Structure formats: structure tokens, C-alpha cells
């Protein structure tokens, strides 16, 4: 059996993008002023380094994997550092359904359910919700699996997966 992976890049927050641009602009201003004093050249280098960090090195992705009845979630920072977020056995999973589905509706309204968001944060991107009953209580995980990922789960655990309806294609005339 092959392991199925899904990697979703997360949307950069406005503050992070704004800081990157701000540091670059301040670096250019300090570089222009550096002809007056050498201190401004040092400040320009520091601000340019901060701008580079916030613009190009602040990338976050989420990885979802499924292998032989085990669902794993990880966060990847800058395509280099990987941190395991959660691992669940499919026996602990109650349901995997599209957000807003009637099978997860009660969990969405329940304030005692812990919600973890592993989505990209992009608007109008459909996502699924997975409800897990673990030793810590009930957890609802929001994530964006693709069709291959769900197809890998379906042979053994079809009764736990609710698929979103496929769009009906109208024949061209």
C-alpha cells in the first residue's frame, strides 16, 4: 500500500507581507541616506535582511498523509523544517465530511470540541472536517484533502467518509 500525501501552501497573513515590504522600503531609504553616515548603511543592511526574511523565508505549508489506517498532519516551514502536528488512527475518527455537512454540523456548534485549522486560509477553497474522538476529548480538524487522498481511505473506511458531490457536466451541443 502506498502512502498518500497532500501538501497545501498556507496563505501569508497580511501583517507578515506588510512587514516584508515595509522593511525593504526602509532599507532603500536608509541606503539612500547612507552617504551621510555609515550607521545608515548598517541599518539598511539589517532592514534588508529583515525584509528578505519576512518576504521570502516566512512560508508555511501543511502536509496531510494517510498510510494503512493512520492519518498524519504536519507543518512545513520554509520547505525545510517539518513539525508533526497530530497522528490519529482511523479507529478514532468518527467522520470525514465536507464543511457544513449534516454529519459534522453538531460538532461545529459544540463549544467543547477543540478545533484545529490546517487549511490554506484561501477564500472559496472547499475543505473537509474530520471529527476525532481521542483520549483528549473530541477534536475537529479542518483540512483540504484531494480526491486521491480520499480514494486511499475509501477501501477500508468508506463508512466514515462523506464525499462532496461532483459537479455534473452538461454535454456540449
Amino acid at each position: 500500500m502506498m502512502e498518500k500525501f497532500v501538501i497545501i501552501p498556507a496563505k501569508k497573513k497580511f501583517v507578515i507581507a506588510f512587514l516584508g515590504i515595509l522593511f525593504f522600503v526602509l532599507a532603500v531609504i536608509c541606503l539612500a541616506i547612507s552617504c551621510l553616515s555609515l550607521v545608515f548603511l548598517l541599518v539598511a543592511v539589517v532592514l534588508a535582511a529583515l525584509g528578505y526574511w519576512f518576504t521570502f523565508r516566512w512560508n508555511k505549508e501543511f502536509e496531510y498523509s494517510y498510510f494503512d489506517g493512520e492519518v498524519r498532519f504536519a507543518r512545513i516551514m520554509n520547505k525545510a523544517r517539518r513539525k508533526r502536528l497530530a497522528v490519529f488512527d482511523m479507529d478514532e475518527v468518527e467522520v470525514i465530511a465536507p464543511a457544513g455537512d449534516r454529519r459534522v454540523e453538531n460538532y461545529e456548534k459544540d463549544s467543547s470540541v477543540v478545533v484545529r485549522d490546517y487549511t490554506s486560509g484561501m477564500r472559496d477553497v472547499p475543505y473537509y472536517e474530520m471529527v476525532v474522538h481521542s483520549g483528549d476529548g473530541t477534536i475537529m480538524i479542518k483540512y483540504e484533502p484531494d480526491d486521491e487522498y480520499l480514494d486511499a481511505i475509501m477501501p477500508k473506511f468508506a463508512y466514515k467518509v462523506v464525499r462532496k458531490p461532483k459537479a455534473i457536466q452538461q454535454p456540449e451541443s
Side-chain angles (χ1 to χ4, degrees):
M1 172 176 251
M2 289 185 50
E3 187 168 10
K4 295 295 178 188
F5 289 96
V6 177
I7 297 179
I8 302 293
K11 180 182 169 188
K12 245 184 216 183
K13 293 187 172 156
F14 173 76
V15 173
I16 300 299
F18 177 75
L19 284 175
I21 293 169
L22 178 68
F23 285 134
F24 274 129
V25 169
L26 290 175
V28 169
I29 292 170
C30 286
L31 191 60
I33 298 174
S34 68
C35 60
L36 301 175
S37 172
L38 194 57
V39 174
F40 283 105
L41 182 61
L42 180 63
V43 172
V45 170
V46 170
L47 289 172
L50 286 172
Y52 173 79
W53 179 260
F54 280 106
T55 304
F56 299 111
R57 299 289 297 168
W58 199 279
N59 298 317
K60 179 171 60 171
E61 297 174 322
F62 289 108
E63 176 188 81
Y64 324 125
S65 64
Y66 171 79
F67 180 71
D68 197 29
E70 189 175 77
V71 180
R72 301 178 197 137
F73 297 94
R75 180 180 63 225
I76 303 169
M77 292 297 290
N78 301 323
K79 299 192 185 292
R81 294 178 305 183
R82 184 177 185 280
K83 180 180 179 187
R84 178 179 280 181
L85 298 173
V87 177
F88 300 106
D89 191 60
M90 281 299 290
D91 293 332
E92 299 173 319
V93 174
E94 175 76 23
V95 65
I96 298 173
D101 190 76
R102 63 180 175 80
R103 291 185 64 185
V104 293
E105 188 175 23
N106 292 334
Y107 297 105
E108 291 172 345
K109 295 176 184 175
D110 189 355
S111 62
S112 66
V113 174
V114 177
V115 178
R116 296 182 185 162
D117 190 352
Y118 301 148
T119 62
S120 65
M122 306 291 262
R123 287 187 182 176
D124 300 327
V125 175
Y127 61 90
Y128 279 74
E129 294 174 331
M130 180 171 76
V131 177
V132 180
H133 296 294
S134 68
D136 301 335
T138 304
I139 302 168
M140 181 168 40
I141 297 175
K142 298 177 181 185
Y143 72 122
E144 300 171 12
D146 61 5
D147 286 334
E148 285 183 34
Y149 181 92
L150 295 172
D151 289 342
I153 296 174
M154 291 295 283
K156 280 187 173 179
F157 301 101
Y159 62 96
K160 293 186 178 193
V161 179
V162 177
R163 303 289 292 263
K164 62 183 169 194
K166 303 228 183 213
I168 299 173
Q169 303 248 341
Q170 297 293 331
E172 294 181 25
S173 44

